[in-house]
Amino acid sequence: LYPKNQKELLEHQLKNLKKEIINLDCELKLKAKNFVFFDGTLASDIMIIGEAPGYEEDKLGKPFVGAAGKKLDEMINAIELDRKKNVYIINIVPWRPPKNRTPTDNEINSFLPYVEKHISIIKPKILLLFGNVASRSLLNLKEGITKHHGKWFNYKNPFLNKKIFTICIFHQSYLLRSPKSKS
């Protein structure tokens, strides 16, 4: 069965990508409740990439649904965006690390090729990278988010023949803990 239209093609590619990731040999999936793949609309020009699922995300199987998700919704709604209409959301790591710890370099490196493939399937025009893990891993940055917050980059995806405008932003959970950083 060959997909008939663009939406079916995207769904087919995402289904295959999901299978590839789920079949990976990974300790995280043994400890997490749910695989957290994406949320949002397939026909989006804007892709948001976070770090990894937290407790609420693991429980519900969707990215950014806890307190940080509510903050994300407030932020994107303020600029007339909506996760159900014009935004696509993923994480670098699709399973919750135990006790919400930061993913290890090994975990990040294991999933990075799949994140890049995911980006190439959606083909966004803009990437919003939330926090250190997303920013450092996709852009190969040495310094942390504080140095790069609000700065634009041209991200080169290995599967696409174009650059994508990319901005690094503080993660919502950081903003909830540090309200003075909301500038």
Side-chain angles (χ1 to χ4, degrees):
L1 280 139
Y2 190 78
K4 294 178 185 93
N5 59 42
Q6 185 64 22
K7 185 178 181 206
E8 282 184 23
L9 178 61
L10 287 174
E11 289 169 348
H12 178 73
Q13 290 172 320
L14 290 170
K15 182 178 166 188
N16 288 339
L17 179 63
K18 184 177 181 178
K19 276 187 207 170
E20 284 181 55
I21 299 168
I22 286 174
N23 287 326
L24 281 174
D25 187 21
C26 172
E27 291 284 319
L28 288 179
K29 71 180 175 182
L30 303 175
K31 297 174 181 159
K33 287 186 172 129
N34 281 300
F35 175 73
V36 179
F37 195 42
F38 77 89
D39 193 21
T41 181
L42 300 180
S44 177
D45 288 336
I46 300 170
M47 180 182 263
I48 294 171
I49 303 177
E51 177 179 302
Y55 174 79
E56 290 296 320
E57 291 78 11
D58 185 36
K59 192 167 105 180
L60 299 173
K62 280 188 164 182
F64 290 99
V65 292
K70 288 182 178 78
K71 177 56 74 183
L72 168 67
D73 289 340
E74 286 175 22
M75 291 168 64
I76 63 175
N77 293 158
I79 57 171
E80 298 182 15
L81 295 174
D82 185 299
R83 73 166 67 208
K84 290 182 177 85
K85 294 178 184 169
N86 49 21
V87 173
Y88 190 90
I89 306 168
I90 66 170
N91 283 305
I92 295 291
V93 173
W95 284 287
R96 177 184 181 227
K99 299 179 181 165
N100 286 350
R101 69 164 168 72
T102 300
T104 66
D105 287 344
N106 261 357
E107 291 163 347
I108 292 165
N109 292 332
S110 293
F111 292 109
L112 197 54
Y114 300 97
V115 171
E116 290 175 324
K117 200 175 213 182
H118 206 151
I119 293 167
S120 75
I121 291 168
I122 300 302
K123 296 177 182 68
K125 292 181 180 163
I126 297 173
L127 287 176
L128 304 177
L129 305 180
F130 283 17
N132 266 331
V133 170
S135 300
R136 291 175 80 178
S137 56
L138 278 168
L139 295 173
N140 237 355
L141 301 173
K142 303 293 179 232
E143 303 90 2
I145 188 68
T146 305
K147 175 111 172 141
H148 299 290
H149 170 71
K151 291 184 181 171
W152 285 94
F153 296 85
N154 284 311
Y155 163 73
K156 178 70 173 107
N157 183 285
F159 300 102
L160 295 173
N161 194 20
K162 67 172 190 158
K163 292 182 180 172
I164 302 172
F165 293 116
T166 303
I167 190 166
C168 302
I169 300 173
F170 290 127
H171 196 283
Q172 295 76 10
S173 57
Y174 172 77
L175 295 175
L176 290 168
R177 291 188 310 270
S178 309
K180 291 181 182 174
S181 298
K182 289 182 185 176
S183 63

